[in-house]
Each structure stands twice: as C-alpha cells, then as structure tokens.
Amino acid sequence: MATDVYVSATLRMFAGHEPLLQAEGASVGEVLKSVAGEHEDIRRILFTDEGVLRDFVRVFVNDTEIRGLHGTETPVAPGDTVYLIPAVAGGAPAKNTPLIPAERSGAVEFTDRDLERYSGHFLLKEAGVKGQKRIRAARVLIAGLGPLGVETATVLASAGIGTLGLWDHRKTELPDLKNLIAFTERDLKRPRTAVIKDRIRNICRETAVSVFDYEVTSDNVQETVTGYDLVIDCTDNFKSRYLVNDACFFAGVPYVFASLYQTEGRVTVFKNDRSTQTPCLRCLFPAPPERNLVPTCSQTGIFSGVPSIIGGYAACEALKLITGAGRTLDGKLLSVDALNLTSHIFHVDRNCSCALCGETPTVRSVQAVDYDDFCNLREPDNTPPVESITVEELLRRIENHEPLTLVDVREPHERAVHRFRQAIPIPIGQLARRKGELNPAVDTIFLCKEGKRSILAINTLREASYTGPMYNLKGGLDAAKDMVFSNEAGWL
Ligand SMILES: [Zn+2]
C-alpha cells in the first residue's frame, strides 16, 4: 500500500509542484528512493552523490523525526505520512514559566488610560493585569524587518510591549510595498527601522524603541542580543539565522524562529535554557543547504497574507513566553501551508551531538566560527567563475542574429510578467534532465529574475557534465526592465 509523502513548498518545484505524493516502500529509505525514482529532479536535492540524505532536510514519520526512530530504516505502515521538511530560513511541553519575573513586572504602574486600553487583555486569564505588566516590562529584539518582522513588531507594539529593538540595515524599495503591511509610497528609500519606529510611536507611545541599522555579523551579534529578554528571528538568510541562534545560545536568551517560503511558514521556539535540555536551531538543522541548492524566498516570492499568519504566530509565541500563558513551541516545529490549508506540529529533540549545545560542542563562540564558510557563501576555490554578459550585450547579439541559445530558468508562471520571446523555457529543477535540448556548439545564455538562479543553473549543468559555453545574464530580467520600450524586438 502506498504511503503519503508530504513535500514542503521549498521542494515542490523538484517534485511536480505537488504537496502530497504517493510512494511505495516498507521503510522511510524505500519510500524516499521511490520518490527519487519518480521525480528525478528531487534526487540531487535530497541525496548527496554518495546517496546520503542531506543534512538540511529533516524527515518525519507523522510527528516524529526519523533520527529519534530508526533513521531511514524506520518502518512505515498504511496510514502513515512521511514529511520532507528542509531548512529555509518545538516534547511534552512543561508548564510555561514567565520570562519576566514578578520583581520586574511588579514595578510597572498603569494609568487609567492603560487600564482602558488593555482591558481586552485583562479579561483573559492568560494575560490579566499581571500578564500585561509583564508585557510592559519586556524587552524584545526583532532581527530582520521583512514581512514577518514588520507584522511581529506591529502586533507587539499594539499589545503594549515595553521595549522593542528593531534590527535591519535595508531601505524600503518598491517591491516591499506589496509585502510590508501598511508601508506607503512615502516610505520609499527610508530605512525600514525608521519607518517602523515612526509607526510604533503612533501605535503606543509607551513602547521604547531602539534601532540597529547594521547587518548581522559575528562582530556585532553577541553585543546586540545581550540585554534582551527575547529575540524574534525574522531574518531572510542562513548566515543571520545561525548567527542569531548561536549568539542567543551563548547569552542564554530565548528566541522565536519564524520563516517563510511562498505560501508556507514555520515557527518554533528555542529556549536556550541549559537546564531544560531543549533543542537549538543546530539540533534541528545542523547545516544550511549547500550553496544555491534551493532558491530563497526573495527569489521566489511570498503570497500576501502568509506573513501576517506566521508573524501573528511568532508574536503570539513571544507574548506567551513573556506572560507564561499556555504552551509554547519549544521542542516543536509548527509548519503551516496556507495554500493547502494544512498545518502540522513536529516534535524536535535535542541532538546530543549538536555542534553548539551537544555534549562535546565544537562551536565555542560566534567569533570562532567562519559563518561565510559554514553557510557556503564563498565561491569554492576549484569552481571556475560563472561568466556573465550584460543585457546590452545580449540585445546587440540578438539584433546581429548571432547564433546563441537563450534559456529562461524561471517557473512557467513567472514568465507571464515579461520574457524574451527567443528564450527556451526550462525550469531550473528540470535542467539536468533536459540538458540534451541545449546545443554545446553555441553560446547558451541563462536568464532568471535577478541573475542568481541562472548562476545556479550553470553550476547545475556543470555538475551534470554539460560542456558547452554558458553565460549568465547579469542582473537577470530585473536589469532589463528599463529596456522594454527601446528594444521591444527582444520582448514579448
Ligand atoms: Zn543544538
């Protein structure tokens, strides 16, 4: 009898865009081999060349990760579901002890106006006056002010949080207006931190705001997180996530992890309380994916509304940690698929051999780790650089009728925005399999939205032993937008 295999949104492009597959097999290993056999593109994502399951993919049978069972030998029975959950960006819960001790919250005094304003919380036994005082006394740092961070900051300010740290180095750009709730045309080119600081001032004058307008690095992360009661990680890259995780662990600061990919989001809580043996990010995902193996959310888009769902969960977890209300996601990973209206909670165990929190740790401080190297951000010395050509050069060659092949590696739906009519559409997940459609005797130029996936495309074909000359369209179609009207011959 076939087993259901749930494919996370991050991996769906390599499996026919289906969230739920059916595969035969009596064990997890057999089921995964069956999936890889049916969907050739996903094989290289799931497995190394040696056939070993990659570290950045976690496999669960129902709600239990296979590392806590029998690994790939774990048997599967009719009715079981195997879940494939990669890194993209919490056992039986104990009673949730409030992060903010009574000594601190007891010093908070409310005005009559406060009593009216927060009356909705006072009605809830999960918050009450004591909980609201804890919220007012709390200091929370939000790392990353993308769609998730903006949503989370807004909810926490509305709830009357005492101190908010806002950490992001970016300015507001036009595409941000789609994703950053309540950002306006007037906010363009302003630092995101300044925009949100202004907004928080209008929401709650009692919330003190600190702004950190610099990138997350190993030189600043430890100092920045120290002094906060809680950190919420809404960053959008693996280097920042592992830096925040490691710094919070060393500082003993709990943190909420929230991530997005297209229509899917994940939330978990890492308490960093060494007495409770709870896991850290490195227990869940010991390593990020290899360089350019899977696209990021900025390269693939985010469905409106999903950041509000996931940001809402992240803010709610923060408020529960602060007040001690309910049960939190420590030791659990919540995965929400808004497109298919499904959600799952997976158990996450502490890994005794974790490089950070395990019994023989190898990560001793954030200064001692080369995060660029760990996150595969450096070009390997033995990889020849990818050659690029500019849009102008491409248009000149098209107008001169020079022999070349143009390959558009975006997904089919993305080509509705704009495209080169000469380009052969081959989604990146199919490239290795369809390399026979290319002509190694002429130059092949790869294009995508930003010129990043096309580099991945070239490296994918190199690994697949394609030997023809390959070039990346520098800056992708984004760089060509201004030439739509002057070179319409090249466009749809
Ligand atoms: Zn760990």
Side-chain angles (χ1 to χ4, degrees), residues 1 3 23-29 31 61 73-78 80-82:
M1 184 173 174
T3 299
E24 299 285 346
S27 67
V28 169
V31 165
V61 174
E73 302 296 317
T74 302
V76 288
D80 286 342
T81 302
V82 174

Side-chain angles (χ1 to χ4, degrees), residues 245 249 278-284 350-351 353-358:
N245 172 73
F249 175 80
T278 52
C280 74
L281 175 63
R282 287 177 183 261
C283 293
L284 179 59
R350 183 167 165 263
N351 177 8
S353 54
C354 174
L356 181 66
C357 73

Side-chain angles (χ1 to χ4, degrees), residues 384-387 405 435-436 438-446 457-472:
V386 170
E387 288 189 65
T405 307
K435 64 181 179 183
L438 306 179
N439 178 1
V442 303
D443 290 350
T444 302
I445 297 157
F446 295 86
I458 290 172
N459 285 327
T460 300
L461 283 168
R462 282 175 173 165
E463 281 179 23
S465 305
Y466 179 78
T467 54
M470 298 185 284
Y471 299 87
N472 170 50

Side-chain angles (χ1 to χ4, degrees), residues 101-221:
E103 306 89 86
R104 272 176 52 198
S105 59
V108 173
E109 292 185 5
F110 286 141
T111 63
D112 289 347
R113 197 168 181 277
D114 290 329
L115 294 173
E116 184 179 351
R117 175 170 185 151
Y118 300 114
S119 56
H121 261 173
F122 298 156
L123 295 172
L124 294 171
K125 74 175 172 52
E126 289 79 8
V129 174
K130 282 184 182 173
Q132 192 63 45
K133 286 190 172 185
R134 287 189 164 109
I135 293 170
R136 175 68 64 84
R139 299 182 293 253
V140 178
L141 173 67
I142 300 177
L145 297 174
L148 277 177
V150 169
E151 179 71 28
T152 308
T154 307
V155 173
L156 292 182
S158 302
I161 205 86
T163 300
L164 264 185
L166 304 174
W167 193 0
D168 200 302
H169 68 285
R170 294 168 291 184
K171 289 189 164 58
T172 312
E173 304 295 341
L174 188 58
D176 297 331
L177 297 188
K178 174 204 154 280
N179 291 328
L180 304 182
I181 293 296
F183 271 51
T184 69
E185 298 267 354
R186 289 184 182 180
D187 299 323
L188 289 172
K189 303 303 176 191
R190 293 186 69 206
R192 295 186 185 184
T193 47
V195 177
I196 300 175
K197 184 177 181 181
D198 285 352
R199 186 194 300 178
I200 290 172
R201 194 177 290 138
N202 287 325
I203 295 173
C204 183
R205 279 172 285 173
E206 285 75 27
T207 297
V209 178
S210 300
V211 165
F212 306 100
D213 273 321
Y214 43 77
E215 267 189 274
V216 181
T217 69
S218 52
D219 290 332
N220 59 39
V221 68

Side-chain angles (χ1 to χ4, degrees), residues 160-332:
I161 205 86
T163 300
L164 264 185
L166 304 174
W167 193 0
D168 200 302
H169 68 285
R170 294 168 291 184
K171 289 189 164 58
T172 312
E173 304 295 341
L174 188 58
D176 297 331
L177 297 188
K178 174 204 154 280
N179 291 328
L180 304 182
I181 293 296
F183 271 51
T184 69
E185 298 267 354
R186 289 184 182 180
D187 299 323
L188 289 172
K189 303 303 176 191
R190 293 186 69 206
R192 295 186 185 184
T193 47
V195 177
I196 300 175
K197 184 177 181 181
D198 285 352
R199 186 194 300 178
I200 290 172
R201 194 177 290 138
N202 287 325
I203 295 173
C204 183
R205 279 172 285 173
E206 285 75 27
T207 297
V209 178
S210 300
V211 165
F212 306 100
D213 273 321
Y214 43 77
E215 267 189 274
V216 181
T217 69
S218 52
D219 290 332
N220 59 39
V221 68
Q222 199 66 65
E223 187 181 347
T224 308
V225 304
T226 301
Y228 282 93
D229 299 307
L230 180 70
V231 173
I232 305 180
D233 179 10
C234 299
T235 57
D236 64 354
N237 63 86
F238 288 109
K239 180 181 172 183
S240 296
R241 288 201 180 273
Y242 282 95
L243 275 164
V244 169
N245 172 73
D246 297 355
C248 284
F249 175 80
F250 291 122
V253 175
Y255 86 106
V256 178
F257 172 103
S259 67
L260 282 181
Y261 186 86
Q262 294 185 337
T263 62
E264 193 176 276
R266 306 213 183 102
V267 186
T268 185
V269 169
F270 299 116
K271 280 202 161 176
N272 289 324
D273 175 354
R274 300 189 195 194
S275 65
T276 59
Q277 301 283 303
T278 52
C280 74
L281 175 63
R282 287 177 183 261
C283 293
L284 179 59
F285 296 116
E290 288 175 25
R291 182 185 172 79
N292 291 331
L293 192 64
V294 292
T296 65
C297 60
S298 66
Q299 294 163 2
T300 59
I302 295 168
F303 203 75
S304 290
V306 180
S308 296
I309 298 169
I310 304 304
Y313 270 121
C316 195
E317 286 304 296
L319 292 169
K320 282 157 54 186
L321 287 163
I322 289 164
T323 58
R327 294 173 170 179
T328 58
L329 285 167
D330 52 307
K332 296 176 184 174

